[in-house]
Amino acid sequence: MPVLGFGVWRMKSTDRPGAAYQSVLWALQAGYRHIDTAKNYGNEEEVGRAMKDSGVFRRDICLVTKLSSSRDYMNARAAFLEQLTKLDVSYVDVYMLHHPAAATAAQRQEAWAQLE
């Protein structure tokens, strides 16, 4: 996992269309190989498109995303599969439960079980 990563928080596609796409494309062209996004950031489609358009092999990019809302924890597997579709990738390198303290222990355990 690269030490230095490029994050796309505050680049929501509905608020700033194209910002995440262009930023990720430039970051990859500049040599970044760690891209950090999340469901809640609302830009996974742009991130995935930029990765594809960059010419950098997927295997050379460390892609991190997150399950953002504790409301999604009971349907973690479905949310994860939706994220893969939005990113247009077959896998992510790191998948995290974003803000796990906002969920109950039962919700965290259910999310973990669905993602194993």
Side-chain angles (χ1 to χ4, degrees):
M1 179 176 199
V3 174
L4 185 61
F6 186 81
V8 293
W9 180 53
R10 293 198 176 180
M11 292 185 206
K12 198 169 199 166
S13 297
T14 55
D15 298 338
R16 299 176 60 199
Y21 171 83
Q22 193 61 64
S23 297
V24 169
L25 187 62
W26 285 337
L28 291 169
Q29 290 170 346
Y32 282 86
R33 293 298 181 263
H34 172 178
I35 304 297
D36 180 273
T37 188
K39 181 178 181 179
N40 200 38
Y41 298 174
N43 55 29
E44 289 176 316
E45 286 134 339
E46 288 189 25
V47 169
R49 193 164 37 91
M51 288 173 49
K52 287 217 182 301
D53 291 351
S54 73
V56 177
F57 291 115
R58 170 65 189 92
R59 68 176 178 262
D60 295 332
I61 300 170
C62 179
L63 178 60
V64 177
T65 194
K66 304 161 204 82
L67 182 63
S68 295
S69 173
S70 59
R71 293 184 310 268
D72 293 327
Y73 281 26
M74 300 310 280
N75 299 303
R77 179 86 178 149
F80 173 70
L81 294 173
E82 179 185 339
Q83 288 176 270
L84 289 179
T85 299
K86 285 184 176 184
L87 287 160
D88 196 18
V89 296
S90 60
Y91 69 97
V92 296
D93 298 283
V94 178
Y95 192 68
M96 296 187 282
L97 301 180
H98 214 183
H99 309 296
T104 65
Q107 287 173 312
R108 289 190 303 271
Q109 289 170 346
E110 178 62 25
W112 183 271
Q114 288 184 34
L115 295 169
E116 283 188 304

